[in-house]
Amino acid sequence: MATKSLKQRELESKWILIDATDIVLGRLAAYVATILRGKHKPTYTPHMDCGDNVIIINAEKIALTGGKAEKTKFFWHTGWVGGIKERTLGKLRQEKPEKLIFNAVKRMIGRRSAVALADKRLGNLYIYAGSEHKHSAQNPTVIDFGAMNSKNKRA
């Protein structure tokens, strides 16, 4: 018996809506990366984009555990002499909450995936800081990620 591999015309992708209010960042990123890759489906095919589209709302209300908001710092260099810059995770959450979740999911997808395929999968991720989104016409399935496990939601 041979392993079945999907063809492009056999792919079916759904739309999933997740509310990030008080959800722990790392747990959400790992779950969303699994959905984007399609590993939650029995028809998972590694070399194809067989994942679903994910909409995340209320990104500004994401939870960070421990002291990560103050202790975790990101550094970058402007290219000028003395141009090293830093930003804490808490400040990034205030300024660009969409970028915070996007970077976490991008790092969960991993470098082992083909770069073009990983970029295509990340194109199926839509993150909004507030509760409004423009994908209501797709009739997304709402997933209560906080109720799946007590550790997912920060009280």
Side-chain angles (χ1 to χ4, degrees):
M1 181 172 208
T3 303
K4 174 130 171 74
S5 183
L6 284 181
K7 295 178 177 65
Q8 188 69 33
R9 65 180 178 271
E10 297 172 343
L11 294 177
E12 295 178 18
S13 63
K14 299 177 186 173
W15 286 81
I16 297 173
L17 177 70
I18 299 175
D19 187 4
T21 304
D22 296 328
I23 301 292
V24 178
L25 175 63
R27 288 178 166 268
L28 178 67
Y31 182 73
V32 169
T34 302
I35 292 174
L36 288 174
R37 290 183 70 192
K39 292 192 90 171
H40 65 292
K41 296 181 179 182
T43 57
Y44 171 67
T45 308
H47 65 279
M48 298 188 74
D49 181 20
C50 56
D52 293 334
N53 298 301
V54 179
I55 306 163
I56 299 175
I57 57 172
N58 293 322
E60 60 196 10
K61 300 176 184 175
I62 195 87
L64 299 172
T65 57
K68 291 186 187 93
E70 298 83 28
K71 293 179 185 175
T72 306
K73 295 180 181 178
F74 294 104
F75 296 93
W76 70 95
H77 199 279
T78 63
W80 293 87
V81 176
I84 189 121
K85 302 282 185 176
E86 75 174 44
R87 183 183 294 148
T88 62
L89 205 59
K91 188 161 182 137
L92 183 63
R93 178 175 53 182
Q94 290 174 353
E95 294 174 359
K96 301 176 183 177
E98 301 94 354
K99 186 174 181 179
L100 175 69
I101 296 176
F102 181 81
N103 286 341
V105 172
K106 181 179 180 179
R107 292 169 182 151
M108 288 287 177
I109 285 182
R111 295 183 185 100
R112 296 179 113 186
S113 302
V115 175
L117 187 56
D119 289 344
K120 187 175 179 184
R121 289 173 176 161
L122 285 170
N124 295 333
L125 177 63
Y126 304 92
I127 307 170
Y128 298 97
S131 61
E132 298 295 321
H133 64 89
K134 59 182 181 180
H135 304 285
S136 57
Q138 280 75 24
N139 297 324
T141 304
V142 179
I143 292 182
D144 188 8
F145 182 67
M148 288 182 178
N149 190 337
S150 63
K151 293 180 182 179
N152 291 347
K153 196 161 187 135
R154 179 114 187 220

